[in-house]
């Protein structure tokens, strides 16, 4: 299970590099931060249950933040 967090770190690093190449600096920094978070978690020796709980907590925070951003910050395009 810890290896999966390192895989997530690899994919977030890839997305961050593509965002950086496309001049989306804020997005790139966000994904670089997530990369560091996932890689550090990947090398800690937690139990499988802890890794699953951490992943669910990450998903809840991410989807809540994304939903808040799209509804209240981006606003209504009409």
């Amino acid at each position: 299970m810890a290896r999966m967090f390192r895989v997530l770190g690899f994919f977030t690093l890839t997305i961050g590099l593509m965002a950086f190449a496309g001049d989306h600096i804020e997005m790139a920094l966000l994904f670089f931060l997530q990369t560091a978070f996932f890689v550090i978690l990947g090398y800690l020796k937690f139990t499988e249950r802890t890794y699953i709980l951490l992943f669910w907590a990450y998903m809840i925070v991410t989807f809540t933040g994304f939903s808040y951003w799209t509804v209240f910050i981006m606003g209504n395009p009409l």
Side-chain angles (χ1 to χ4, degrees):
M1 191 61 147
R3 190 174 291 170
M4 195 64 220
F5 275 88
R6 286 178 262 173
V7 171
L8 285 170
F10 169 76
F11 284 118
T12 54
L13 176 64
T14 305
I15 294 169
L17 289 173
M18 288 188 291
F20 189 71
D23 290 331
H24 297 284
I25 304 302
E26 290 97 4
M27 179 180 167
L29 292 175
L30 179 67
F31 275 90
F32 292 150
L33 181 68
Q34 290 181 45
T35 298
F37 175 71
F38 285 139
V39 170
I40 289 169
L41 280 179
Y43 283 104
L44 296 175
K45 301 293 184 190
F46 290 135
T47 63
E48 186 172 350
R49 178 183 169 95
T50 305
Y51 279 119
I52 290 171
L53 290 173
L54 283 170
F55 182 71
W56 273 102
Y58 168 77
M59 295 305 285
I60 289 170
V61 168
T62 301
F63 287 134
T64 303
F66 179 77
S67 298
Y68 174 80
W69 183 267
T70 56
V71 172
F72 297 112
I73 303 298
M74 289 179 67
N76 190 355
L78 299 176

